Amino acid sequence: MNDLKKGAVWTLAEQFEGSLKQVSFELLSRGRSLANKLNTPLCSVLIGPAIKDETLSELIYRGADEVLVVEDDGLKYFSCESYSAVFETLIREFEPEIILAAATSTGRTLMPYVAIKVHAGLTADCTGLDIEDGNLLQTRPAIGGNIMATIKTPDHRPQMATVRPRSSRPLERDLGRQGKIRRFSLADTLPSGKHFPRVKKEGVRVLGYRNDEAGFTNLEEAELIIAGGRGLKKAENFGLLNELSKRLGGEVGASRDAVDRGWISYPHQIGLSGKTVSPKIYIGAGISGAIQHLAGIKTSEAIVSINTDPDANLHKLADLAIVGDALEVLGELKKRLI
């Protein structure tokens, strides 16, 4: 019997070698709000190898009403061919109203492919989601990030969107939440009597994974970030940020302006055209605060702004705003840390 309600909100969970990725929980906080407004269940969908119930229960503790799992050893690593075949089958079987995925390499590859297959609309890289008259309002940067556009797809279902990682915080764990975990293997018969399609073995094969290059900056996971902008005046002054970040156990970020000037490499760029971060402490040194940059840091727990301009946009968002020359202020901070 098909007891999975049609018209539910789905979020796509991600795993790597049996462990759930953080974006799985971030999406549930977005999905929970939408499901509550639509008065419909929230379902987290996971495609991959067999995973323990206690691991899957974390999705329920973080907001899911149901967890729908399709497991097979051949699904251990992401492949668009195999994952899209499974995902399309689930969508046609259970007919969700909304599907959210993270704007990761997996989500950005899988969701457009599946959207075409099921004849649905897709909005990529959303920073805001809401419900209006039963439709999903999908807000994302447009025209190079200079404006924020709100999009809806009223004529087709499901409504599909990818969401920038780190643009929301996971809900607190609620160990008292109850939910259902429903497992399928590729050999199982679906409630309608249909089956999952066979994945062609001669398709894409995963040969292996390799680590990021040495010195790669994983800003998304950093708990403290010191970012520099045009106010640092020249590339050499980023050396001060590097020194301070090492002393404080953080990472160095940058505005797009600093990257465009060649003062620091692109992996350090924060904002709509770079990375979205959510550290415990974010320090912006010599950054005025363009809307694109602010969108990339707004979920930080505490924001410190250092700028000579008392009307800088970053000052308005900051928990602590220091009006002064960034190099002088950081120089004083360095002395205190010695």
Side-chain angles (χ1 to χ4, degrees), residues 125-156:
D125 256 6
C126 293
T127 57
L129 298 170
D130 205 348
I131 298 294
E132 180 185 78
D133 299 328
N135 291 310
L136 178 63
L137 299 181
Q138 305 150 76
T139 301
R140 71 175 308 278
I143 311 179
N146 292 311
I147 65 169
M148 302 299 286
T150 298
I151 300 164
K152 60 182 178 180
T153 53
D155 298 328
H156 296 275

Side-chain angles (χ1 to χ4, degrees), residues 14-323:
E14 295 187 26
Q15 62 80 34
F16 184 72
E17 296 187 344
S19 297
L20 294 171
K21 293 185 178 181
Q22 179 74 3
V23 290
S24 305
F25 307 124
E26 294 173 15
L27 284 174
L28 285 171
S29 69
R30 298 274 197 172
R32 185 71 268 164
S33 174
L34 300 176
N36 289 346
K37 290 180 179 180
L38 290 171
N39 192 28
T40 194
L42 174 62
C43 177
S44 183
V45 179
L46 182 65
I47 302 170
I51 294 180
K52 298 178 181 177
D53 274 356
E54 50 264 40
T55 300
L56 297 175
S57 293
E58 286 296 321
L59 296 167
I60 295 172
Y61 300 153
R62 297 283 188 164
D65 298 308
E66 299 166 315
V67 179
L68 179 58
V69 186
V70 179
E71 53 192 18
D72 187 90
D73 287 343
L75 299 172
K76 182 177 181 180
Y77 297 114
F78 173 73
S79 162
C80 190
E81 255 186 321
S82 55
Y83 274 49
S84 63
V86 171
F87 205 33
E88 179 189 353
T89 301
L90 293 176
I91 292 169
R92 295 191 185 280
E93 179 75 15
F94 298 111
E95 300 180 15
E97 178 75 7
I98 292 170
I99 304 176
L100 305 180
T104 57
S105 57
T106 295
R108 284 174 169 167
T109 305
L110 180 66
M111 290 286 274
Y113 193 92
V114 173
I116 291 293
K117 293 284 189 179
V118 299
H119 195 52
L122 170 67
T123 302
D125 256 6
C126 293
T127 57
L129 298 170
D130 205 348
I131 298 294
E132 180 185 78
D133 299 328
N135 291 310
L136 178 63
L137 299 181
Q138 305 150 76
T139 301
R140 71 175 308 278
I143 311 179
N146 292 311
I147 65 169
M148 302 299 286
T150 298
I151 300 164
K152 60 182 178 180
T153 53
D155 298 328
H156 296 275
R157 294 295 186 269
Q159 302 166 92
M160 301 175 67
T162 60
V163 181
R164 290 181 69 91
R166 293 285 179 163
S167 62
S168 60
R169 292 186 175 279
L171 299 173
E172 293 294 327
R173 292 177 78 226
D174 181 356
L175 298 178
R177 288 196 87 256
Q178 299 294 312
K180 179 181 293 185
I181 297 173
R182 188 168 185 180
R183 297 177 182 269
F184 287 101
S185 74
L186 292 182
D188 287 339
T189 302
L190 292 163
S192 65
K194 296 179 181 178
H195 297 83
F196 290 102
R198 291 185 178 181
V199 179
K200 297 178 181 179
K201 293 184 177 181
E202 66 269 20
V204 175
R205 290 184 299 117
V206 178
L207 299 180
Y209 283 83
R210 63 182 182 184
N211 293 329
D212 293 318
E213 61 186 83
F216 179 82
T217 301
N218 191 1
L219 291 175
E220 293 96 336
E221 301 299 326
E223 294 193 350
L224 184 146
I225 294 173
I226 304 179
R230 184 170 55 184
L232 291 188
K233 302 174 183 176
K234 56 183 178 179
E236 288 77 8
N237 290 330
F238 270 85
L240 177 57
L241 267 62
N242 285 319
E243 188 173 347
L244 288 172
S245 69
K246 290 178 182 178
R247 288 176 181 267
L248 295 171
E251 297 288 351
V252 174
S255 67
R256 178 174 178 172
D257 198 348
V259 172
D260 286 347
R261 291 168 182 265
W263 294 351
I264 193 168
S265 61
Y266 175 73
H268 298 268
Q269 185 171 315
I270 296 171
L272 293 179
S273 53
K275 295 177 180 177
T276 301
V277 298
S278 188
K280 291 183 177 179
I281 301 175
Y282 171 87
I283 303 173
I287 296 176
S288 60
I291 185 173
Q292 297 95 328
H293 188 82
L294 299 184
I297 66 168
K298 64 181 181 180
T299 56
S300 302
E301 289 187 21
I303 296 174
V304 179
S305 175
I306 309 170
N307 201 293
T308 54
D309 181 4
D311 297 320
N313 289 332
L314 187 54
H315 279 340
K316 299 172 185 177
L317 183 66
D319 299 282
L320 174 62
I322 302 173
V323 179

